[in-house]
Amino acid sequence: MRRKPRLVTPVDRGRGRSRHGRGGRSSVTGPDLAPVITRAEAFDRTVGDTAHYLLQLWPEELHGVVFQVADMPTDASQPDELPRWRVDHEGRRVTLFRIPVERVNRSPEKDDADRRIIIETAVFRAVGELIDKDPWDLAPDRYRHW
């Protein structure tokens, strides 16, 4: 199976912690089990999968677009609400902010499918803003099976 090229680049997210000068932490699962996928890694994967899907549907419109994931916006002048994404039309860049997007689904009834749909919706809305299309027009047949 051929792997897809990495499309989403995380923005300077520290890996592991160094608390009280003790250095990085070891894996929770140990050497015998598969590594645990963190929420941030699952978010990156979902954004990447959705971006690849949209690139297949809109290759000319999304040619050269860079997708990034950051934990939070870093602007000093914050509006009343935290933005969930930022679109740079000149730089052809879409940045999704993981924590504000994840805060949408704070209900305990939400499962992995709900989380994935919330992330996909944010990507669709950001790409729609970038190419000036309604997000529902980006993939009209995607949810027709309902």
Side-chain angles (χ1 to χ4, degrees):
M1 185 169 116
R2 209 175 107 220
R3 294 185 72 187
K4 293 185 279 191
R6 187 175 179 113
L7 183 66
V8 175
T9 56
V11 177
D12 193 25
R13 183 181 297 140
R15 297 286 180 203
R17 295 191 202 189
S18 179
R19 283 184 158 174
H20 310 291
R22 294 185 193 137
R25 293 185 176 185
S26 64
S27 171
V28 174
T29 59
D32 299 329
L33 297 174
V36 174
I37 305 237
T38 65
R39 281 193 323 249
E41 291 167 343
F43 188 91
D44 292 349
R45 236 182 241 177
T46 303
V47 170
D49 291 346
T50 308
H52 276 286
Y53 174 74
L54 289 171
L55 274 169
Q56 291 173 355
L57 294 176
W58 300 91
E60 293 87 25
E61 290 83 351
L62 296 177
H63 179 73
V65 172
V66 175
F67 290 87
Q68 288 185 321
V69 174
D71 288 333
M72 289 287 287
T74 57
D75 293 346
S77 60
Q78 289 293 326
D80 292 336
E81 291 185 13
L82 284 176
R84 288 181 264 165
W85 62 83
R86 179 173 299 122
V87 174
D88 178 11
H89 293 280
E90 293 83 31
R92 307 278 297 155
R93 182 178 310 272
V94 174
T95 304
L96 283 107
F97 301 116
R98 181 181 62 84
I99 294 173
V101 171
E102 286 180 341
R103 296 284 184 220
V104 172
N105 66 348
R106 276 303 188 204
S107 172
E109 298 88 35
K110 306 254 185 201
D111 60 1
D112 290 338
D114 292 326
R115 287 185 199 98
R116 184 171 182 95
I117 288 171
I118 288 169
I119 296 166
E120 287 176 353
T121 300
V123 175
F124 270 67
R125 291 178 66 189
V127 168
E129 183 180 324
L130 177 72
I131 63 175
D132 198 29
K133 293 199 179 295
D134 187 74
W136 290 103
D137 293 339
L138 294 177
D141 294 333
R142 182 166 176 115
Y143 300 107
R144 292 225 193 250
H145 62 278
W146 296 102

